[in-house]
Amino acid sequence: MDSEVTRRQLLTQLTAAGAALAVLPAGASAARLVADTPATPSMIPMLTAKPLPEKLHWTEANGITFKTHQAHYGLYKGYVTKANEIAQALAAIGKPDPAAANQTYSPIRELKVEYSFAIGGVKNHELYFDILGGQGGVPTGDLAAAINASFGSFENYTADLTATGIASRGWAWTALDLDYGTLFNYAGDAQNTFPVWSAIPIAGLDVYEHAYYGDFSTARAKYIAAFLASLDWKAIEARYDAAVRKLKA
Ligand SMILES: [Fe+2]
C-alpha cells in the first residue's frame, strides 16, 4: 500500500480531532467545528483543482495509459481537498497557544507537518501533469545548454534522473538552484521530502507505485523510460525560462 494513502487516512482523523482539541469548548463536537470554520481563512490560500490536461492522452503511445492518469488525478484532487481542510483547521485555531505546542504530539504540529504533505502533493502533481504529454526527444535552446553545463550531456542527465527515480520512494525532481545557478536531480521519499530552499523544480517524476503499477507492474525502469519518451519539453523549457527570470531578478 502506498504510504500516502495511509497518511491521508490519518490526516482525516487528525484534522478534525486536533483542531477540535485546540479551539472547541468542552462538549462541543468536531462536526460543529467544521460548520463554524471560516470558508476562506486569511493568509492561507484556498485551492481549486486544475483540470487534467487532455494532452496526457499522448502518453498512451509509450504505455502510460490515460486510465492511469485519471486514477492519479483523483489522488491529486484529494490533496487539494486536504490542503484546504487543513488550512481551515489552522484558521480555526487562530492565534496558537505556544504552551499547547509539543514536538511529540500536538494539534499544531500535526497540522503543520501534514499541510506540507498535502500542499506538496498538490504542487508535485500539477508539475507532473504539466510536463507530460509531449513527444519526448531532447530539449532545445537555453535549457539544452544548461543541462549540458550541469550534467555534461543530455545522456548523463537522463541517466542521472533515471537512477534518482529508481533510488527514490516517491519523487525525483529536476530543479534550478537559484543560489548556484545549476540544475540538479533531487530525490524525494514523500510529497514533502526532501525539498531544498531556493531550488525551483522544472520537471517532476512520480515514482510512487500508483503512477505506474497498473501499466508496468513492478518494472519501474520501463515506466521511467516511457516517462522520458513522453516529456513535453516545451512545457519544461517554459518553466526553466521562468525560473531563470527569478535567478536574474
Ligand atoms: Fe502521484
Side-chain angles (χ1 to χ4, degrees):
M1 177 185 295
D2 280 357
S3 62
E4 65 181 293
V5 175
T6 303
R7 293 174 69 87
R8 282 201 308 278
Q9 293 170 341
L10 174 63
L11 181 56
T12 300
Q13 301 167 13
L14 288 173
T15 303
L21 284 171
V23 300
L24 290 184
S29 68
R32 175 70 185 278
L33 167 72
V34 173
D36 288 347
T37 299
T40 307
S42 61
M43 307 300 290
I44 306 175
M46 298 301 291
L47 308 177
T48 302
K50 295 181 178 180
L52 186 65
E54 286 295 318
K55 68 175 181 175
L56 292 178
H57 281 285
W58 287 103
T59 69
E60 296 246 12
N62 298 314
I64 307 174
T65 62
F66 195 71
K67 180 181 178 183
T68 290
H69 291 310
Q70 288 176 310
H72 207 163
Y73 182 70
L75 296 176
Y76 157 69
K77 287 197 297 184
Y79 290 121
V80 172
T81 299
K82 286 300 175 187
N84 289 338
E85 190 175 327
I86 298 168
Q88 289 181 318
L90 286 166
I93 289 176
K95 182 181 179 181
D97 177 7
N102 183 280
Q103 65 177 347
T104 302
Y105 168 75
S106 57
I108 190 70
R109 172 184 165 79
E110 300 311 314
L111 290 170
K112 290 295 180 92
V113 170
E114 303 306 351
Y115 185 72
S116 74
F117 193 87
I119 203 74
V122 172
K123 294 189 178 190
N124 290 334
H125 287 97
E126 288 180 354
L127 175 64
Y128 178 80
F129 294 142
D130 181 56
I131 55 89
L132 281 178
Q135 302 298 311
V138 298
T140 59
D142 291 343
L143 177 56
I147 287 175
N148 284 333
S150 293
F151 295 94
S153 67
F154 182 70
E155 289 70 26
N156 287 350
Y157 163 72
T158 56
D160 187 79
L161 182 60
T162 299
T164 305
I166 292 172
S168 300
R169 298 168 187 167
W171 287 91
W173 301 281
T174 302
L176 176 65
D177 189 308
L178 298 187
D179 293 323
Y180 309 130
T182 50
L183 292 167
F184 188 83
N185 290 324
Y186 295 88
D189 281 352
Q191 305 296 346
N192 54 353
T193 64
F194 308 98
V196 172
W197 299 123
S198 300
I200 299 181
I202 61 171
L205 166 58
D206 192 338
V207 291
Y208 275 109
E209 287 184 351
H210 64 244
Y212 65 89
Y213 191 86
D215 296 325
F216 297 92
S217 185
T218 59
R220 187 186 292 187
K222 290 184 178 178
Y223 157 69
I224 294 176
F227 169 89
L228 292 171
S230 303
L231 286 174
D232 179 352
W233 281 108
K234 291 303 177 189
I236 300 171
E237 287 168 14
R239 287 178 174 272
Y240 174 74
D241 291 344
V244 168
R245 287 195 290 273
K246 295 180 184 297
L247 180 67
K248 295 177 177 176

